Amino acid sequence: MPRSAADFCQNPDTAAAPTLLERDPWFAGLPERTQAGLRALGRPRLLPAGGCLFLRGDAADGLYGVLAGSVLIGASNAVGKAALLSRLGAGQWFGELALFDHGPRSHDAWADEPCLLWHTPQRALLAWLDAEPAVWRDIGLLLAGKTRKLMNGLEQHTLLSSRARVAQRLLLLADGAPSLRLSQEALASAVGLSRQSCNAMLGQLAELGLIQLGRGVITVRDAAGLARESEG
């Protein structure tokens, strides 16, 4: 039976971590030579719940894959207003943008639950890419997939109703998890609504029995129904 991220954090024996890579769709679709390179260069890294991986403006330190648990991606401005942009669960990779432009981190990343990551350091990864330029295509496909998803999201953000946008964002952030820990203010920022408007939409979804609202926690009660709402 697969171990949870919490199990790994309680007992830091991560010898089995490389086998979790094989359950990731992007990694599983890579050529064997690329898979072998990422295994050889990478190391498991544990991040406790609430732990910060990096902040906007930090120097890039490599490519990360989520093996277990989840990572939140967001940002905050000078006055402390925060925006939660996405939740990355097991099988999702991030950090590839800086491989192309050598820039700093564009957003904050932290764990909302105990998290097991696969970390491939920046310097070693760039040296390998210089030696194996064909691998750039594989990294490019990872970036292209995210760009396509972003463009689809921008289109839907323009065309969808406020309630549909809230439903869609909840599904995206929950990523299959039964509950999501975030403030209603953070959710409002993520969907581009005022806190009052977002709260009203959440109330409507709760009245429909699709979600349950708690203090700092939103529980998805009917994912299929929420998906239908997200289409309108």
Side-chain angles (χ1 to χ4, degrees), residues 30-55:
L30 295 174
E32 179 56 38
R33 187 169 184 175
T34 304
Q35 292 184 9
L38 289 172
R39 284 195 191 94
L41 294 174
R43 296 291 183 274
R45 178 169 175 178
L46 296 163
L47 197 63
C52 178
L53 186 62
F54 53 74
L55 296 173

Side-chain angles (χ1 to χ4, degrees), residues 69-202:
S70 59
V71 170
L72 299 179
I73 304 296
S76 58
N77 62 17
V79 296
K81 186 175 181 180
L84 178 59
L85 302 178
S86 64
R87 178 178 183 269
L88 306 178
Q92 294 181 278
W93 291 71
F94 59 101
E96 75 281 358
L97 181 61
L99 293 173
F100 290 91
D101 66 5
H102 303 283
R105 294 302 188 193
S106 59
H107 295 90
D108 306 336
W110 68 98
D112 69 332
E113 60 181 319
C115 190
L116 177 66
L117 304 170
W118 189 257
H119 177 216
T120 309
Q122 184 92 344
R123 181 175 298 180
L125 183 53
L126 286 173
W128 178 51
L129 288 167
D130 284 343
E132 299 284 347
V135 179
W136 276 111
R137 179 182 181 276
D138 300 319
I139 305 296
L141 288 174
L142 178 64
L143 181 60
K146 290 185 180 180
T147 302
R148 186 180 296 276
K149 187 174 182 180
L150 173 62
M151 296 304 294
N152 289 337
L154 289 174
E155 176 184 345
Q156 293 171 353
H157 183 82
T158 302
L159 299 176
L160 293 178
S161 67
S162 296
R163 193 165 83 183
R165 281 155 51 192
V166 172
Q168 182 189 73
R169 182 63 62 165
L170 286 174
L171 286 172
L172 176 65
L173 294 176
D175 192 33
S179 63
L180 179 64
R181 292 187 295 274
L182 83 163
S183 69
Q184 294 180 14
E185 183 178 3
L187 179 61
S189 177
V191 295
L193 296 173
S194 69
R195 183 173 180 178
Q196 291 79 7
S197 296
C198 184
N199 288 350
M201 298 303 104
L202 287 172

Side-chain angles (χ1 to χ4, degrees), residues 9-21:
C9 287
Q10 291 170 3
N11 178 11
D13 176 12
T14 56
T19 63
L20 296 176
L21 288 169

